Amino acid sequence: MSKPFYITTAIAYPNGRPHMGHAYEAVTTDVIARFKRLDGFDVRFLTGTDEHGLKIDQAARAAGQEPKAYVDAMVEPFRALDDQLGINFDRFIRTTDTDHKALVQELWRRMAANGDMYLGRYEGWYSVRDEAYYDDAELVDAVDSAGNPVRLSPQATPVEWTVEESWFFRLSAYQDRLLALYDGQPDFIQPVSRFNEMRSFVAGGLSDLSVSRTSFSWGIPVPDGAETGPSHVMYVWLDALANYLTGAGGLDGQWWPADLHVVGKDVVRFHTVYWPAFLMSAGLPLPRAVFGHGFLLNRGEKMSKTLGNVVDPSEMATRFGVDRLRWFLCREIAFGDDGSYSDEAIIERTNADLANGIGNLAQRSLSMVAKNLGGIVPAAQGEGGDSEAALHASFTALTQAYFAAMNAWALHKALEALMGLVSAANGYFAENAPWALAKTDTARMAQVLRATMDATRRIVLLAQPFMPESTSRLLDQLGVAPDARDFSGFNTIVAAGTQLPAPEGVFPRLTPEPA
Ligand code: MSP
């Protein structure tokens, strides 16, 4: 039986069209999921949409629609984007799904049975944009574009004073257990910068958390309404976080606990403070790790409707190609840090790595095999000499570096190692000049082509999580059988005598559009 691996993205608010930040999170999570599948794990990959709460309710009203009709329409571009980007999830969960509603109510009952819920009155600040409560000390005074004074959350979103009857969760009682969790399991929050931030937030003391709302009704009703008054709906983050349990198959679901929650840095607090406390309260196991990735910036600037720099990821994928976009996002941005994108950067990066790097390597060797050997894979002859030994040594070291980086979720480092493999293979090819050997020593030429093809095969196998479509075409051209494409087939060389199809360029060079 292969080992299970359960991975999730955050679920997006469908109150607008998906943006590059959503595409980034979907792609990076999909890359990890694909890597784990190729590495022999039994992967469960969950993504979806977060559809309740005041923010969606207000957006629906502004659009003159009922919330459910509104989200039914708004969720479609999210699904379409996943489809276009090759996001290979196992379930697309919507928090309006029936099984999810039932699960959240059961989770609530378990937390209440543990004595952690009490009725009170919330008086304090709330940001609808973040769907978050903030303490006074966390806010800053600023002025809006019209010059009026406003108070802003740490995410620079406006807050409003809110007073209403509410259920509270005894979060304050979990401070010590949370600190013990962080100290005993430092990998729980990654990367380490987010760990430090969250640890000091919790060490500073926790207030109890308001977990229901009474001023609107677009949410999952708090159970046992007869006792509590029927009008409470659950705080949207309690509802949303529980999606990971629903997607695991329920409160006692076979996939729980999650191995990795991939989320953006702005929502790390919810995932590493509230979420483990809710789970402890309900007596459930905790996820193994939360990775907080950075924010994507458009030419170094925050994407915002006001700045008019919100780019449609679907349009980008159509223009540059899905695999180029996926490659760029994982290669250019250190996973965990903020990063910037622009058309020029995408073109430059993918021309260098894909057209000149991997594509060139594959083309040069495959076209020589086609021309000089009738497209028939030559036999691997002998051990080779120093040049083969050097190639072998750098492949061993860099392949190890690739796996170590992937298993530490350092996607950018894995691709750095992969590009190291590409230059080692390109260097080997240039040094041995098989085009010259074609005239002088065809047996040695065949040996060099064979070694280059095998190096290319390994590179393309490792590139699969990042570029599923183009690597599949390259593996076809290299004669790699469909059942020899996961990492267990890494050392399975293509049989001598295999007839290859005519080679065809997979990564044509892009030319920048004139400004
Ligand atoms: N609905 C909540 C998450 C609930 S998870 C139980 C939410 N939704 S969101 O649509 O605002 O964001 C979805 C994900 O995209 C979050 O992980 C968020 O951090 C991420 N990003 C939003 N903007 C981003 C960028 N500009 N760059 C990278 N990721 C960003 O938060």
Side-chain angles (χ1 to χ4, degrees):
M1 273 284 286
S2 44
K3 249 185 102 177
F5 183 81
Y6 179 30
I7 183 169
T8 67
T9 64
I11 47 173
Y13 293 123
N15 66 324
R17 289 185 60 84
H19 55 62
M20 283 292 279
H22 295 121
Y24 179 59
E25 189 169 297
V27 165
T28 49
T29 311
D30 182 64
V31 165
I32 298 174
R34 284 178 186 267
F35 168 78
K36 283 293 192 181
R37 278 193 206 103
L38 289 164
D39 208 19
F41 284 78
D42 190 10
V43 171
R44 169 87 175 167
F45 174 11
L46 180 75
T47 191
T49 41
D50 185 356
E51 304 190 351
H52 291 126
L54 194 49
K55 175 170 164 140
I56 297 289
D57 194 45
Q58 287 179 354
R61 268 170 225 291
Q65 282 180 288
E66 283 304 311
K68 183 62 168 65
Y70 174 76
V71 290
D72 282 349
M74 294 298 283
V75 74
E76 286 314 318
F78 285 86
R79 284 187 197 274
L81 179 65
D82 280 352
D83 192 38
Q84 182 184 12
L85 296 178
I87 309 304
N88 198 6
F89 56 77
D90 296 291
R91 174 169 175 182
F92 188 102
I93 189 170
R94 300 179 54 187
T95 52
T96 48
D97 289 345
T98 316
D99 62 340
H100 176 69
K101 289 191 200 166
L103 175 132
V104 180
Q105 292 186 325
E106 190 49 36
L107 179 68
W108 178 288
R109 285 193 194 97
R110 287 212 197 173
M111 291 162 68
N114 198 41
D116 284 330
M117 302 296 210
Y118 64 91
L119 206 50
R121 186 179 164 81
Y122 181 74
E123 280 193 37
W125 298 103
Y126 192 79
S127 159
V128 179
R129 289 253 291 276
D130 303 347
E131 294 282 22
Y133 304 95
Y134 291 106
D135 286 340
D136 210 45
E138 295 181 273
L139 305 176
V140 289
D141 288 311
V143 280
D144 67 13
S145 50
N148 302 313
V150 281
R151 310 212 75 192
L152 297 181
S153 80
Q155 312 293 341
T157 59
V159 292
E160 54 198 48
W161 187 254
T162 305
V163 180
E164 63 188 57
E165 187 190 86
S166 170
W167 281 95
F168 281 84
F169 169 69
R170 267 182 231 289
L171 182 63
S172 58
Y174 286 86
Q175 182 184 16
D176 291 346
R177 273 172 278 180
L178 288 170
L179 290 174
L181 163 69
Y182 306 152
D183 294 341
Q185 201 186 318
D187 280 359
F188 181 70
I189 310 176
Q190 299 176 46
V192 69
S193 53
R194 318 254 184 260
F195 175 93
N196 294 333
E197 203 183 311
M198 287 305 127
R199 198 192 181 287
S200 60
F201 173 73
V202 173
L206 294 171
S207 321
D208 288 348
L209 183 69
S210 161
V211 283
S212 75
R213 303 288 310 255
T214 39
S215 54
F216 61 93
S217 60
W218 179 237
I220 300 181
V222 168
D224 308 323
E227 210 179 291
T228 64
S231 53
H232 286 253
V233 293
M234 279 185 226
Y235 174 38
V236 65
W237 270 100
L238 172 54
D239 165 351
L241 287 161
N243 93 85
Y244 304 130
L245 286 170
T246 308
L251 285 180
D252 304 301
Q254 65 162 125
W255 291 96
W256 195 254
D259 291 277
L260 186 62
H261 292 313
V262 177
V263 304
K265 64 179 182 181
D266 58 328
V267 298
V268 169
R269 182 193 292 192
F270 303 95
H271 285 83
T272 60
V273 182
Y274 302 168
W275 183 223
F278 295 160
L279 290 165
M280 286 174 189
S281 171
L284 292 168
L286 307 183
R288 297 201 172 86
V290 176
F291 188 94
H293 63 73
F295 260 46
L296 216 56
L297 307 167
N298 185 343
R299 293 177 193 279
E301 287 200 68
K302 198 172 164 199
M303 299 179 277
S304 82
K305 286 187 191 141
T306 352
L307 288 174
N309 65 352
V310 184
V311 168
D312 178 359
S314 165
E315 189 270 326
M316 297 284 269
T318 306
R319 202 143 49 90
F320 295 112
V322 169
D323 282 357
R324 275 205 194 76
L325 185 62
R326 290 175 62 112
W327 177 271
F328 174 84
L329 292 173
C330 299
R331 165 90 160 122
E332 184 87 0
I333 303 161
F335 197 44
D337 293 353
D338 290 350
S340 202
Y341 64 89
S342 65
D343 289 4
E344 301 85 87
I346 297 175
I347 293 174
E348 208 176 296
R349 172 56 77 192
T350 58
N351 276 346
D353 291 349
L354 305 180
N356 302 349
I358 301 178
N360 192 33
L361 174 69
Q363 270 315 291
R364 288 208 290 175
S365 51
L366 286 172
S367 59
M368 276 202 71
V369 174
K371 195 165 141 231
N372 297 281
L373 300 171
I376 293 174
V377 176
Q381 298 164 13
E383 284 288 292
D386 289 352
S387 163
E388 282 72 27
L391 180 67
H392 185 74
S394 47
F395 261 63
T396 306
L398 288 165
T399 303
Q400 271 171 14
Y402 167 95
F403 277 95
M406 286 305 283
N407 282 312
W409 326 131
L411 308 182
H412 57 295
K413 287 202 180 138
L415 290 186
E416 217 174 280
L418 194 80
M419 287 313 296
L421 292 170
V422 174
S423 28
N426 263 326
Y428 168 83
F429 190 82
E431 185 184 303
N432 288 286
W435 57 91
L437 293 169
K439 297 184 197 108
T440 55
D441 182 350
T442 49
R444 174 67 184 148
M445 173 202 73
Q447 189 179 35
V448 172
L449 291 179
R450 169 86 220 191
T452 310
M453 279 185 58
D454 194 51
T456 311
R457 179 184 65 85
R458 288 166 194 268
I459 289 166
V460 177
L461 286 179
L462 299 181
Q464 290 179 99
F466 299 89
M467 304 187 290
E469 195 269 336
S470 25
T471 50
S472 144
R473 283 197 284 145
L474 277 169
L475 292 171
D476 290 345
Q477 295 192 34
L478 287 160
V480 180
D483 63 358
R485 295 184 180 189
D486 65 26
F487 297 148
S488 68
F490 202 62
N491 293 317
T492 314
I493 58 170
V494 177
T498 303
Q499 172 72 59
L500 300 181
E504 216 180 284
V506 169
F507 299 116
R509 270 189 82 77
L510 297 179
T511 33
E513 278 177 24

